[in-house]
Amino acid sequence: AQKITQTQPGMFVQEKEAVTLDCTYDTSDQSYGLFWYKQPSSGEMIFLIYQGSYDEQNATEGRYSLNFQKARKSANLVISASQLGDSAMYFCAMRILGGAQKLVFGQGTRLTINP
Amino acid sequence: ETGVTQTPRHLVMGMTNKKSLKCEQHLGHNAMYWYKQSAKKPLELMFVYSLEERVENNSVPSRFSPECPNSSHLFLHLHTLQPEDSALYLCASSQVGIGLAGGISYNEQFFGPGTRLTVL
């Protein structure tokens, strides 16, 4: 069975600092994709970044980067130069490629950026 | 309208009521999803409609009934709910397979704002 673990229920970071949100995953499949979503207080889930299991380079999208360590089965999200608007819940998710379109989510990390 | 919309945004209902949640996607996607988000629990996939095929989570009670009349609309019909069904219900859509522009898609799911359901 696939499982996502996010061990940090909450994090507090000073504005403009970088922050790393942890995510480990468990799967026996070789082909999978890893996603990070942001959920502000409004409730909508916003897609941030994607990493495929066969991608050799770490994904980057603006201030977001994904530290993908396949052997350790970790896919940590790094946010550089944090901003007040980054305060939200962050979810790591995994999808097995080629199968039904099912995303398995972690429990999330609540990130609070302090001014 | 753009993206994924959901109505109503908030719903309070009694255990004997029947109500429906509506989701509409304006992205030309071919798959739609219902998720349940309860406090302190991971998002739980309830139903998937992908390429006209329905996939469901076997743990979802029968008091939840989905309907997908076309690729743009998705409903969740609710009847005789329980207080523990109170949660945020999120709809999502994605493009399965080849991307809309002909390239490969991540198949990332785009979510609506959710319906906050309270069952009294």
Side-chain angles (χ1 to χ4, degrees), chain B residues 73-86:
Chain B
H73 294 86
L74 184 65
F75 296 89
L76 187 64
H77 303 301
L78 317 171
H79 64 97
T80 59
L81 294 192
Q82 303 298 309
E84 61 263 29
D85 297 322
S86 298

Side-chain angles (χ1 to χ4, degrees), chain A residues 35 37 39 42-47 50 55 61 89 91 95 97 100-107, chain B residues 9 33 35 37 40-43 45 48 50 55 88 90 94 96 106-113:
Chain A
F35 300 78
Y37 283 86
Q39 187 180 40
S42 59
E44 185 174 351
M45 299 281 281
I46 302 168
F47 166 70
Y50 170 85
D55 294 341
E61 286 287 347
M89 283 290 290
F91 292 93
R95 181 172 61 82
L97 301 181
Q101 298 295 312
K102 296 181 180 180
L103 274 181
V104 175
F105 282 83
Q107 291 196 297
Chain B
R9 293 294 308 276
Y33 313 77
Y35 287 89
Q37 187 177 26
K40 304 191 182 200
K41 283 187 177 181
L43 264 77
L45 178 66
V48 181
S50 175
V55 176
L88 180 67
L90 290 162
S94 73
V96 174
Y106 295 152
N107 300 148
E108 71 267 29
Q109 295 178 18
F110 292 80
F111 285 78

Side-chain angles (χ1 to χ4, degrees), chain B residues 88-103:
Chain B
L88 180 67
Y89 289 83
L90 290 162
C91 172
S93 71
S94 73
Q95 181 65 20
V96 174
I98 300 298
L100 292 173

Side-chain angles (χ1 to χ4, degrees), chain A residues 16-89:
Chain A
K16 298 181 185 175
E17 288 184 352
V19 57
T20 298
L21 305 181
D22 295 341
C23 172
T24 57
Y25 59 93
D26 188 18
T27 181
S28 56
D29 288 88
Q30 299 300 309
S31 296
Y32 51 89
L34 296 157
F35 300 78
W36 276 94
Y37 283 86
K38 172 184 178 181
Q39 187 180 40
S41 56
S42 59
E44 185 174 351
M45 299 281 281
I46 302 168
F47 166 70
L48 296 178
I49 196 167
Y50 170 85
Q51 180 84 43
S53 57
Y54 292 116
D55 294 341
E56 295 184 352
Q57 293 194 323
N58 288 341
T60 60
E61 286 287 347
R63 294 186 300 112
Y64 303 108
S65 61
L66 202 151
N67 184 359
F68 182 47
Q69 298 188 42
K70 195 170 181 178
R72 297 179 62 184
K73 294 190 174 179
S74 75
N76 298 339
L77 176 70
V78 180
I79 306 174
S80 63
S82 58
Q83 302 170 356
L84 296 178
D86 294 333
S87 295
M89 283 290 290

